[in-house]
Amino acid sequence: MKRMLSGIKPTGQLHLGNYIGALRHFVESQNEYEMFAFIANLHCITVPQNPQELQKNLKDCVALYLACGLDPNKATIFLQTDVKEHAQLGFIMCCHTYMGELNRMTQFKDKQAKGEKNLSGGLYTYPALMAADILLYSPDYVPVGEDQKQHVELTRDVAERMNNRYGQLFTVPEPLVAKVGARIMSLSDPTKKMSKSDETNKGCIYLLDDFKVARKKVMSAVTDSLGKVHYDPENQPGISNLMQILSSLSNERSFEDIEKEFKGKGYGDFKKAVADAVCAKLEEIQTRYNEIINSNLIETTLANGAKKASMIAAEKLNKVQKAIGMEIL
Ligand code: AQP
């Protein structure tokens, strides 16, 4: 069985972009692949965090993984810091990643370009840690949203570099980016990615949003004055984004089909259909979340996940350290 791995960093509450771009693919993949899904809590602290909020977000993230349909009997679900090998291989990867490569990574570059002050060293080097997160488990595929593709490509480059230098250590993974929904945009500014760090809160639908709030966000989504439901991301970014959301939440319904249904109808009717689909999905997820959040399923899932992940990770780290010459005995 081929192996797949992916993670999410809950720097805030998970949102519809995380669900459409990542989580739903984890769920679809768990029957076909040996799936590893982790919660990237080391990555969270690359930016300042409020400890109480971080703890809540981490617990919610596990509950949402399960509520969205990840099955702990099929997928290995674990917290990154429960497997100490991530940090250790992370440093080794950092020593094999060039400054020039890290300088090209867009997340750090974007924050620097925005003039954000006191950016941490961890934010700069986290792509090397991400390479370790992936390579520890030898996955064949890494499903990601468009924004993370660059990091999987760096992982491939460093893996190949180390394989050439020390012999075959790592499986070189392929990024899997979905055709639809790999970059869900903000509802209030469709030129920007829907993001947890949305300052206004209006453009981002959180998976735990109240239905009325979510509906209002969709109904007030920025569109255009062209008045036709047509897929054209360049000239109609708002409408195209809503079409991607509707398609992703309705079994990959085709854009032609959506265009046909809303031909001659106003944007109000179209937005209502998107809001209905979003609220139906939120209801499904939240019903399950409410059953899980205070049960012991979170604890048992993480304990079992850490046990399985640790065994695989320890073996890989040992092999790498030996190959590099770091072990004495
Ligand atoms: N808007 C999005 N559309 C599609 N996919 C997305 N992903 C994130 N946003 C979108 C995908 O979700 C997975 C987990 O991402 P992450 O939360 O670990 O990191 P991120 O991409 O940095 O997410 P945010 O919300 O933008 O976080 P902040 O605001 O903290 O930087 C990844 O596969 C990602 O591609």
Side-chain angles (χ1 to χ4, degrees), residues 7-9 11 15 17-18 21-22 107 143-148 181-184 193-197:
I8 293 186
K9 63 170 170 46
T11 37
H15 53 73
N18 294 134
Q107 297 224 347
V144 284
E146 186 64 50
D147 59 322
Q148 295 288 342
R183 192 170 168 82
I184 298 296
K193 183 178 91 120
M194 184 180 283
S195 209
K196 295 182 213 91
S197 44

Side-chain angles (χ1 to χ4, degrees), residues 4 97 146 184 223 250 267 289 295 307:
M4 194 176 261
T97 306
E146 186 64 50
I184 298 296
T223 52
S250 49
Y267 284 171
Y289 166 88
S295 74
K307 208 162 142 195

